[in-house]
Amino acid sequence: MTAARTARGRGAGRPTLEEVAARAGVGRGTVSRVINGSPRVSDETRAAVEAAVAELGYVPNRAARALAANRTDAIALVVPEPEARFFAEPYFSDIVRGVGAALADTEMQLLLTLVGGDRERRRLAQYLASHRVDGVLLVSVHADDPLPDLLEQLGIPVVISGRRREDEPLASVDCDNYEGARAAVAHLAARGRRSIATITGPLDVYGARRRLDGYRAALAAAGLDELAAHGDFTEEGGRRAMTELLERAPHLDAVFAASDVMASGARQILREGGRRIPEDTALIGFDDSAIARHMDPPLTSVRQPTEEMGRAMAELLLTEITATEPARPSLMLPTELVVRASS
């Protein structure tokens, strides 16, 4: 313990900003500017204040600093999906891991909120309207979701995972869904598959529509006909769509599913029908999650850098929070086809 700290006495409590100012021989405002990183302080003065802070053991009051800056030091990660889907899909946990990595060295607290219905949406709207967070990360946005427009009206910085449309006005991070799907289906065509079906994601999600566009582009390039059934990114949705496809086209010899989870459901139906993978029916998913690696046979899948997307979302949001004017950038990350035994 330094002599300065001993002199304050055992019961003196935490050192104050005024005590730091007195020790450094400057005003209280100057100490505040140094602590908050203002450039409007000379090197000599900064050194004196930092020495006083060290001698007294002064710790800035985070709550007071946040209040003075009109900040909460908290951001919300909002997932407008039911709890069952959040915990069933590896995509969401990878996003959370990436966001957490980006915030690890900051003072920001992360609040995770699942919005599975209208009641939760109304409660969240009230919470956000009270400006209890500095910004929002919005994941898995559907076309008719009112949350993005609400956040824009409230003036809360927001970054969304996946655009809602081509001309998305909000800051966003997405992967190249179109090219990922196109590469997957082109791979199947190059392997000699002639009846290539797809199980789509929900088409009120822009990324799912882009995967369908990529599928169609690859078929057109190969001179093949379209065969599509709609899914919902769930395992049960994959089973239902695969059952429908086999009833409509029992001769099909390949399936591109717009998620690994749906591919897992499709695989169950194919196996129940006595079809060998890939000898009778090749199968490809999208995400390259742990599900793909642990399936039998291991699943060919389109890798999207989900954890990197989460990290990029958080970094963009931190920039938006501190910006004088919102830049609202749009970031597109590449995908990669990972070929395994299922195709």
Side-chain angles (χ1 to χ4, degrees):
M1 182 180 295
T2 66
R5 294 183 67 183
T6 303
R8 298 186 70 251
R10 287 183 176 274
R14 293 176 56 174
T16 66
L17 201 68
E18 288 76 10
E19 289 175 306
V20 174
R23 175 56 58 90
V26 298
R28 187 181 187 279
T30 300
V31 175
S32 180
R33 284 193 291 274
V34 171
I35 290 172
N36 287 288
S38 171
R40 297 186 296 129
V41 181
S42 70
D43 292 342
E44 182 180 354
T45 299
R46 187 182 305 281
V49 171
E50 290 174 347
V53 167
E55 289 174 10
L56 293 174
Y58 174 74
V59 179
N61 186 323
R62 273 188 64 200
R65 286 174 61 188
L67 183 62
N70 196 27
R71 292 267 299 275
T72 65
D73 282 344
I75 62 176
L77 174 60
V78 178
V79 183
E81 297 288 354
E83 185 176 310
R85 187 181 167 205
F86 177 83
F87 288 105
E89 289 194 31
Y91 172 85
F92 295 113
S93 60
D94 288 345
I95 287 283
V96 173
R97 187 159 45 246
V99 171
L103 299 181
D105 295 329
T106 74
E107 294 184 339
M108 284 289 185
Q109 298 295 315
L110 181 64
L111 308 176
L112 174 62
T113 303
L114 306 183
V115 184
D118 291 338
R119 183 168 177 267
E120 291 95 339
R121 187 175 284 104
R122 286 193 299 270
R123 189 187 313 143
L124 176 64
Q126 293 172 353
Y127 183 84
L128 295 176
S130 65
H131 291 273
R132 297 185 186 181
V133 296
D134 294 327
V136 173
L137 300 169
L138 193 53
V139 180
S140 188
V141 185
H142 296 254
D144 60 351
D145 196 322
L147 280 175
D149 293 333
L150 171 64
L151 292 167
E152 191 168 22
Q153 292 168 12
L154 292 172
I156 299 175
V158 57
V159 177
I160 64 176
S161 169
R163 295 169 292 173
R164 291 169 294 169
R165 55 185 184 270
E166 182 66 31
D167 59 342
E168 174 59 61
L170 298 177
S172 65
V173 176
D174 206 350
C175 75
D176 195 342
N177 292 288
Y178 175 90
E179 178 54 28
R182 191 209 61 77
V185 179
H187 165 78
L188 291 170
R191 292 286 177 95
R193 307 292 173 162
R194 310 321 292 165
S195 180
I196 305 173
T198 187
I199 300 174
T200 77
L203 297 183
D204 62 343
V205 174
Y206 181 71
R209 296 201 303 273
R210 292 301 287 158
R211 291 175 196 182
L212 179 58
D213 291 342
Y215 162 83
R216 287 170 169 164
L219 285 186
L224 301 176
D225 295 329
E226 178 182 332
L227 177 59
H230 298 319
D232 56 5
F233 286 148
T234 69
E235 189 173 42
E236 177 57 31
R239 286 193 289 265
R240 287 196 303 267
M242 192 70 250
T243 300
E244 175 191 334
L245 287 169
L246 288 175
E247 289 173 351
R248 287 165 48 195
H251 61 283
L252 65 83
D253 59 7
V255 178
F256 165 61
S259 78
D260 291 347
V261 173
M262 291 195 299
S264 176
R267 171 189 169 278
Q268 295 174 27
I269 298 302
L270 290 169
R271 284 285 178 85
E272 289 172 7
R275 294 183 179 240
R276 299 168 299 163
I277 302 172
E279 292 85 356
D280 300 320
T281 308
L283 182 62
I284 293 182
F286 201 110
D287 290 332
D288 192 37
S289 63
I291 292 172
R293 297 187 292 276
H294 295 151
M295 279 177 59
D296 178 26
L299 180 68
T300 295
S301 185
V302 178
R303 176 180 295 161
Q304 59 173 332
T306 312
E307 189 170 334
E308 185 181 342
M309 289 169 65
R311 187 181 300 109
M313 287 178 67
E315 290 171 350
L316 284 185
L317 184 61
L318 292 175
T319 300
E320 290 287 281
I321 289 170
T322 57
T324 305
E325 292 291 335
R328 297 180 176 174
S330 178
L331 181 61
M332 175 82 75
L333 299 180
T335 53
E336 175 191 358
L337 181 64
V338 181
V339 179
R340 299 190 178 93
S342 71
S343 64

